[in-house]
Amino acid sequence: MVSTCLITGGSGFVGARLIERLVAQGWQVRALARSDAAARIVQKQGAEAVRGSLDDMDSLVRAVQGCSVVIHVAALFKLWGETDEFEHANVGGTANLLKAATGESVKRLVQLGAAAVVMGDMEPMLRVDESAPRQERSWAPYSASKARSEALVLGANRPGVFETMVVRPPMIWGAGMPTLDQMVESVKSGQFRWVGDGSQGMSTAHVDNVCHALELAVHRGRGGEVYFVSDADDSTLKAVISSLLQTRGVEPPRASVPLAMAWPMACVMEWIWRTFSRKGEPPITRQMLRLMGAPFTLDIGKAERELGFRPVVSREQGLKAMLGMNDVSLQNAR
């Protein structure tokens, strides 16, 4: 019997790749689509598009009917915004999905979480494991909302009836990653600065490794548990960002700013943007600095033991694929 899975966020970077992988494994996949454009993307990947959103309970109930598994990938991710905006998208949307799923045939719900939920004050965090408590800081609305969303997911776990779990990756990268466009623009405009000397340790997770971990969680994850996953190949901020920029033919910048100077600068920038209702995002925010400014690496031993997780794509393989995609783009543009 073919199992049916619902994916939220299926038109995004991770969701689209996840649909492709699940379809290849024989799953019947549905994907929630908020627009015609999103519907076209998920259909191209092989999923059945269900028009609706996390705000629309009727569409959520339709989407989960007959599904045995839900993989909740959708989330609002950006480094600047109002707390209410993140609360509505990441916490309210998750609450609606859980309400719809618990009344239907769904046996398992796996959420794509974020390693950042354990980040609190600015301090080094090395080889962090799942015993680290979730943190919520008012100046980090994205990670705070993901922490609250995760708490809802785990709180809904009902052993043997409706099992819920969370996969927590650090920075997700790979061919087609949207955040690289922002990095390239920042470098080309002269706004990019390294925080400190860029030598702070950093864990990353290739998109295929993240999808692999989500798939394993569906089959092997324990209800009520969280799992850190990564490429198992820690590097430094400067090495990671530089290698990504070079896949676009962009030379890494040299300019830097000490963290002790960057933090008050970010506070001032945020005040200006809020006070004068400036459009767009400040060039630097405290959320950004917390993600990049201090060493942060993960211990993925729990995922290795309980899920059987091993990275399926190495850093070298992932960068080579990104270089290949860039070469194709250049040829098509000629």
Side-chain angles (χ1 to χ4, degrees):
M1 181 177 178
V2 176
S3 297
T4 303
C5 173
L6 172 69
I7 296 178
T8 68
S11 62
F13 174 48
V14 176
R17 183 66 181 129
L18 182 60
I19 291 172
E20 186 178 23
R21 290 174 62 97
L22 290 177
V23 169
Q25 294 173 23
W27 282 82
Q28 181 71 41
V29 181
R30 292 181 191 163
L32 200 63
R34 293 188 300 173
S35 65
D36 290 341
R40 286 193 293 271
I41 291 171
V42 301
Q43 287 168 344
K44 182 179 179 181
Q45 299 302 104
E48 172 194 354
V50 179
R51 289 300 302 269
S53 72
L54 294 173
D55 291 330
D56 182 352
M57 284 301 301
D58 288 340
S59 69
L60 289 176
V61 171
R62 286 198 316 273
V64 299
Q65 284 178 350
C67 292
S68 58
V69 173
V70 172
I71 305 181
H72 183 28
V73 177
L76 175 64
F77 171 67
K78 56 181 182 176
L79 300 176
W80 175 250
E82 296 297 330
T83 299
D84 289 349
E85 184 182 12
F86 288 97
E87 191 78 13
H88 176 78
N90 295 342
V91 184
T94 298
N96 288 341
L97 180 63
L98 288 168
K99 183 178 180 180
T102 51
E104 294 296 334
S105 57
V106 181
K107 300 300 181 185
R108 307 208 116 198
L109 184 145
V110 181
Q111 181 186 37
L112 176 61
V117 298
V118 300
M119 289 182 172
D121 297 331
M122 186 65 75
E123 61 184 10
M125 299 181 72
L126 298 174
R127 300 284 296 168
V128 179
D129 65 20
E130 291 80 2
S131 66
R134 288 189 295 268
Q135 304 284 341
E136 296 180 24
R137 297 293 184 272
S138 60
W139 42 262
Y142 164 70
S143 58
S145 68
K146 286 293 286 184
R148 289 190 287 273
S149 173
E150 178 180 293
L152 288 179
V153 169
L154 298 178
N157 183 62
R158 299 293 182 269
V161 178
F162 179 64
E163 298 190 318
T164 61
M165 60 218 70
V166 179
V167 171
R168 294 174 174 169
M171 186 188 85
I172 305 173
W173 66 284
M177 61 183 291
T179 52
L180 184 53
D181 294 333
Q182 299 166 9
M183 292 181 200
V184 169
E185 182 179 344
S186 178
V187 171
K188 289 184 174 179
S189 67
Q191 293 185 335
F192 189 95
R193 299 288 186 276
W194 297 112
V195 181
D197 62 3
S199 64
Q200 47 269 49
M202 182 179 185
S203 292
T204 58
H206 187 272
V207 62
D208 281 356
N209 293 334
V210 174
C211 291
H212 180 52
L214 291 169
E215 295 161 14
L216 289 171
V218 166
H219 297 291
R220 305 180 188 177
R222 289 195 295 139
E225 297 294 328
V226 298
Y227 299 96
F228 280 125
V229 298
S230 76
D231 296 324
D233 180 21
D234 295 339
S235 187
T236 66
L237 173 70
K238 181 171 280 189
V240 168
I241 302 302
S242 295
S243 63
L244 291 172
L245 290 171
Q246 287 167 348
T247 66
R248 295 285 190 87
V250 176
E251 282 302 310
R254 297 183 179 180
S256 64
V257 59
L259 178 59
M261 184 183 297
W263 192 264
M265 285 173 57
C267 293
V268 171
M269 290 290 182
E270 291 177 17
W271 180 83
I272 291 172
W273 255 250
R274 283 209 167 89
T275 302
F276 299 102
S277 300
R278 299 278 302 265
K279 293 182 178 180
E281 299 184 4
I284 185 172
T285 66
R286 286 173 288 177
Q287 174 84 82
M288 179 192 303
L289 291 176
R290 186 60 193 90
L291 292 173
M292 301 173 59
F296 183 70
T297 62
L298 301 175
D299 180 341
I300 63 171
K302 182 178 177 181
E304 291 175 332
R305 293 188 304 272
E306 296 188 10
L307 302 183
F309 174 76
R310 297 289 187 280
V312 293
V313 174
S314 68
R315 189 178 307 281
E316 181 181 359
Q317 290 169 329
L319 291 171
K320 187 177 293 185
M322 293 178 74
L323 280 167
M325 174 175 277
N326 190 46
D327 290 342
V328 170
S329 298
L330 288 173
Q331 290 172 7
N332 291 338
R334 288 171 183 164

